[in-house]
Amino acid sequence: ALQAQAKTLQNLQSAYNGESNAHAKYLEFAKQAESEGYGKIASLFRAAAAAENIHLTCEAGAIKQMGATPHADVKTPELKSTKQNLEDSANKGEAYERDTMCPRFIKQAHRDGNKSAAQCFAWARDAEAEHFNLFSAAAHNLDQMKGGPAAYYVCSEGGYTMERLNVMKCPDGKYQEVN
């Protein structure tokens, strides 16, 4: 059965590695934003990191279900200005996951009959689409992002990330507040 699902397992490992790196990167970007006085952007990056952590946990579970071991090679992120970090995160990371990677992985998981994998990828796609919007908006409104932290809400299941809480967006109605 594993042979038939080899492609989905490969996709899960690839996503797990990507989310693990994004998680580490966003925590570093948060510190950078803080050092530049962008408390709200630091909160946004911490919220995005929390979402990536939910995705990588989902993917790790699906990998283990298939009898394999999750593996990530986490690299030290390159730090640029907060504006650049936001733009790179939106355009190079989240947009690719939303438009290309996740849809392709979802299709393959359905083809392989792997519901857990398809669910992880679908949640990631929806969350990454929202991260793209949040990062882009923050990059365009840098001046408003100065000062103290801001509250963001991350669904405990699926990692959907919001500026304004809408519990209906969370599959199980549970969320965490990230500042």
Side-chain angles (χ1 to χ4, degrees):
L2 203 56
Q3 199 45 50
Q5 291 203 35
K7 199 88 188 109
T8 288
L9 180 57
Q10 204 181 331
N11 290 344
L12 280 164
Q13 290 284 17
S14 166
Y16 177 77
N17 184 62
E19 310 279 17
S20 298
N21 275 283
H23 176 257
K25 184 171 71 178
Y26 292 157
L27 290 176
E28 288 307 309
F29 286 1
K31 289 180 201 156
Q32 173 76 18
E34 213 131 62
S35 76
E36 292 178 31
Y38 294 112
K40 293 185 174 71
I41 294 174
S43 299
L44 172 56
F45 276 129
R46 280 193 290 270
E52 304 298 349
N53 196 46
I54 289 166
H55 301 153
L56 70 89
T57 303
C58 187
E59 288 144 5
I63 290 167
K64 288 176 191 156
Q65 265 180 7
M66 297 177 77
T69 305
H71 176 72
D73 176 18
V74 179
K75 308 237 191 302
T76 308
E78 186 191 341
L79 292 177
K80 299 177 184 153
S81 71
T82 291
K83 184 176 171 51
Q84 198 60 55
N85 288 341
L86 281 168
E87 286 171 357
D88 288 352
S89 298
N91 301 321
K92 297 198 178 94
E94 307 294 353
Y96 167 73
E97 289 185 35
R98 177 196 64 190
D99 300 334
T100 308
M101 187 187 92
C102 289
R104 209 172 62 218
F105 286 5
I106 291 166
K107 224 181 261 154
Q108 184 67 47
H110 283 305
R111 214 176 286 138
D112 290 347
N114 190 323
K115 283 195 177 64
S116 333
Q119 181 63 81
C120 292
F121 296 144
W123 279 336
R125 178 199 55 206
D126 297 345
E128 311 310 6
E130 202 43 45
H131 291 166
F132 175 86
N133 297 337
L134 291 166
F135 290 157
S136 300
H140 291 304
N141 303 303
L142 276 181
D143 299 341
Q144 281 101 63
M145 306 303 274
K146 285 265 191 211
Y152 287 89
Y153 303 92
V154 181
C155 295
S156 309
E157 202 175 39
Y160 190 82
T161 310
M162 303 163 264
E163 237 172 330
R164 274 175 288 291
L165 180 60
N166 175 357
V167 181
M168 302 306 288
K169 297 254 184 213
C170 299
D172 61 357
K174 294 193 184 84
Y175 62 90
Q176 48 180 308
E177 185 178 323
V178 180
N179 293 294

